[in-house]
Amino acid sequence: MYAWPASEVPALPGKGADLQIHSTATGGRVTLDPGPVARIYVCGITPYDATHIGHAATYNAFDLVQRVWLDTKRQVHYVQNVTDVDDPLLERAVRDGEDWTELAERETALFREDMTALRMLPPKHYIGAVEAIPGIVPLVERLRDIGAAYELDGDVYFSVESDAHFGEVSNLDAEAMRLLSAERGGDPERPGKKNPLDPMLWLGAREGEPSWDGGSLGRGRPGWHIECVAIALDHLGMGFDVQGGGSDLAFPHHEMGASHAQVLTGEHPFARAYVHAGMVALDGEKMSKSKGNLVFVSKLRQDGVDPAAIRLALLAHHYRSDWEWTDQVLADAVERLGRWRAAVSRPDGPSADALVDEIRKALADDLDAPAALRAVDRWAALQQSGGGTDEGAPGLVSRTVDALLGVAL
């Protein structure tokens, strides 16, 4: 599977600071000091309703992570998956009378278009679950063979008790895990499981559903969590720098994935930091596919909204916060974009050297994009009042906003 084209990231003078970021696993900030190549895995979409503002907010957060790392003169090895076979996708295809592969391909293509328009930097490896199946099957077989997995009526489950570190990502108690498992794709009530929390590794073939050769596992398809583990281990290895996604992935997805990988390799941790973006609401409720209360990036673009304004609307909220999308949020972003573009269109202005440092400091401080936006606002206000004669300042501001915030002025 291929990703989308990369927009050019301008080079800035000097060098950014190492990123301090909140990790769900520790409950506090960790300072990330990768080697020459920083490694990040971000969980991708299930392609049946792309791309809503909740998606965009999540991928914007991890785009900022990449930009901070690039500003420290590192390379970034970014991997993202596409869950292009899963129950919700198949259910949507049946509901709409559409071939599931055509639905997945169309929505993935739309996602690429939206990511390109929003200037999200693409992953180095963009991998679909279907194409990853040849690498998934041996992992499930290995887990079964070492006693960390078991068969149940043709399906294969992972035993959470096989990982001494299980629970260390989300830090939830057993009852909270059980409730979230039922809510987020698990089957804690299924009879015969050793532990209600045990997740599916391999779903035996069902009539009328797609299936693949699973070797000694029989025909079937992979569970959700092992998909990402196989892709991450193949392309990043253990101990990569950031595992990212929305806050609803902390449990069960990231918890289970970490346990799968740790048992498979005998190493800990799977990732150095587990970073989660907040949820976006609409009309007082979390924006979600199940509720159908979605605002789509493609629809906003069709309505003539500048993608840079959409991005500024996302950046106005701290990535870990839960917030609500409103017409006013977008109107404020459109107005801000206009002010910034007017400011950098002048032939000179106030010195921008301190502004570059301020934006770098804000983003290194747990991706504080709202503080970075306020810093540019102050420079633009000084520019409006005629506060400087530095001929290089407008160009430097424009390049900085592009490089660090992904907004083209």
Side-chain angles (χ1 to χ4, degrees), residues 170-178 197:
S170 62
N171 295 300
L172 299 173
D173 60 39
E175 181 58 24
M177 288 183 181
R178 186 178 181 125
L197 298 176

Side-chain angles (χ1 to χ4, degrees), residues 1 54 62 74 81 88 99 102 113 147 152 166 209 218 240 254 258 282 328 354 358:
M1 187 172 286
F62 298 103
R74 292 181 171 93
N81 71 303
D99 181 89
E102 293 178 0
E113 292 173 10
L152 178 61
F166 177 73
E209 295 186 1
F240 56 92
H254 290 167
L282 179 70
Q328 190 60 51
E358 193 172 353

